[in-house]
Amino acid sequence: MESTIWLEYGWALLILIGLEGLLSADNALVLAVIAKHLPEDEKKKAINYGIIMAFVFRFGALFAISFIANVWQIQAIGAAYLLYLGLKHIIKARIKHEPPSKEEEEKAAGKGFWPTVGKIALADLAFAIDSILAAVAIALGLPDSPLGDFGGMDGGQFTVVLIGGIAGLILIKFAATWFVKLLTKRPALETTAYAIVAWVGVKLAIITLAHKDIGIIDHHFPHSLLWTLIFYGVLVAIALIGWFSPTKESVQEEST
């Protein structure tokens, strides 16, 4: 019986590591995009600060699991910020089709290092809320373990969430550096990143509306197979559209 429990925990952990990998990739891409306008040395420093803050916020969220899972206002704030961040950029990109002028690029570069770090911190915090809610949704479906209680939940479930979170943070470290290089080759990924941010905001909004104290959406819907398929189907579609969008070089070649 006990071996069956640990097998179930093992499968849940593998699923969670994969899920955290996807969320970490989103988080890392956003870090790269927000810091994009900074000079090269400051860009690297801002991303490193972002990774450190991602560690701090996600570990902090681990020890506030019951608070984050039960207080819908926290979830709503995270959803609102991600929707604002994503939609603001997408609307600007739709209104303004031509590439930024040299003056505009210099103006963006003058936004300052610390304001950029502050924007990264807010994005990290919102992603930390989403990450911990996703992990808890998987972990709470597991049977109780013989490890007792810890952090407001079963010790075995808490361990699964902890290991999944650490794996996600390791992936952020490597993914952020890679995305910085990738953005120079595929500028269309900047808008893709913000579209993903907005879509994750929609996910948090769905979780908020399904909260037991609000009840606008069925409480079980955010964890249903239907919503999981919809969410990841749209997420993959956004990523593929962004990946296969023409680069600046290909557009210039077609116009000549």
Side-chain angles (χ1 to χ4, degrees):
M1 180 70 177
E2 191 169 315
S3 61
T4 306
I5 289 175
W6 293 126
L7 184 63
E8 193 172 345
Y9 269 77
W11 277 114
L13 183 58
L14 287 174
I15 293 168
L16 182 56
I17 289 172
L19 179 61
E20 289 294 338
L22 289 171
L23 294 173
S24 297
D26 296 344
N27 201 164
L29 182 54
V30 172
L31 292 186
V33 167
I34 292 175
K36 183 185 172 187
H37 68 278
L38 294 172
E40 199 61 37
D41 57 334
E42 289 189 355
K43 185 191 299 181
K44 290 179 181 177
K45 194 185 294 184
I47 289 172
N48 285 332
Y49 276 134
I51 292 166
I52 291 168
M53 287 185 289
F55 270 87
V56 171
F57 289 143
R58 292 196 184 198
F59 274 106
L62 273 174
F63 296 97
I65 287 173
S66 58
F67 181 71
I68 292 172
N70 293 320
V71 180
W72 65 265
Q73 289 90 340
I74 298 294
Q75 300 162 20
I77 290 169
Y81 180 71
L82 290 180
L83 284 167
Y84 164 77
L85 186 64
L87 293 176
K88 179 185 175 185
H89 179 90
I90 293 168
I91 291 167
K92 279 185 177 180
R94 293 289 294 177
I95 293 173
K96 192 172 185 180
H97 297 289
E98 67 273 11
S101 66
K102 189 175 180 182
E103 289 181 5
E104 289 169 329
E105 287 180 347
E106 287 173 358
K107 184 180 176 183
K111 284 180 181 175
F113 176 75
W114 289 112
T116 300
V117 171
K119 194 174 179 181
I120 286 172
L122 288 172
D124 275 339
L125 184 57
F127 270 100
I129 293 169
D130 182 56
S131 172
I132 206 67
L133 287 173
V136 169
I138 290 174
L140 290 181
L142 295 167
D144 291 341
S145 73
L147 300 180
D149 291 334
F150 190 79
M153 63 192 302
D154 177 81
Q157 295 171 359
F158 182 86
T159 302
V160 166
V161 173
L162 177 63
I163 295 173
I166 292 171
L169 289 168
I170 292 169
L171 289 167
I172 286 179
K173 170 64 180 173
F174 292 105
T177 305
W178 183 68
F179 280 130
V180 167
K181 297 175 182 177
L182 189 63
L183 281 169
T184 60
K185 298 177 182 177
R186 293 184 174 271
L189 284 178
E190 181 173 347
T191 301
T192 302
Y194 283 111
I196 289 171
V197 167
W199 184 235
V200 174
V202 170
K203 177 188 171 188
L204 270 178
I206 292 290
I207 292 171
T208 303
L209 294 174
H211 193 279
K212 59 186 178 182
D213 292 339
I214 297 180
I216 294 175
I217 296 174
D218 182 77
H219 182 62
H220 301 289
F221 178 71
H223 313 301
S224 66
L225 178 61
L226 175 62
W227 171 244
T228 301
L229 291 173
I230 292 171
F231 177 76
Y232 286 106
V234 172
L235 190 69
V236 169
I238 293 170
L240 288 174
I241 291 168
W243 182 263
F244 289 107
S245 293
T247 60
K248 285 181 181 177
E249 290 80 2
S250 62
V251 170
Q252 288 171 353
E253 286 174 5
E254 288 176 6
S255 61
T256 55

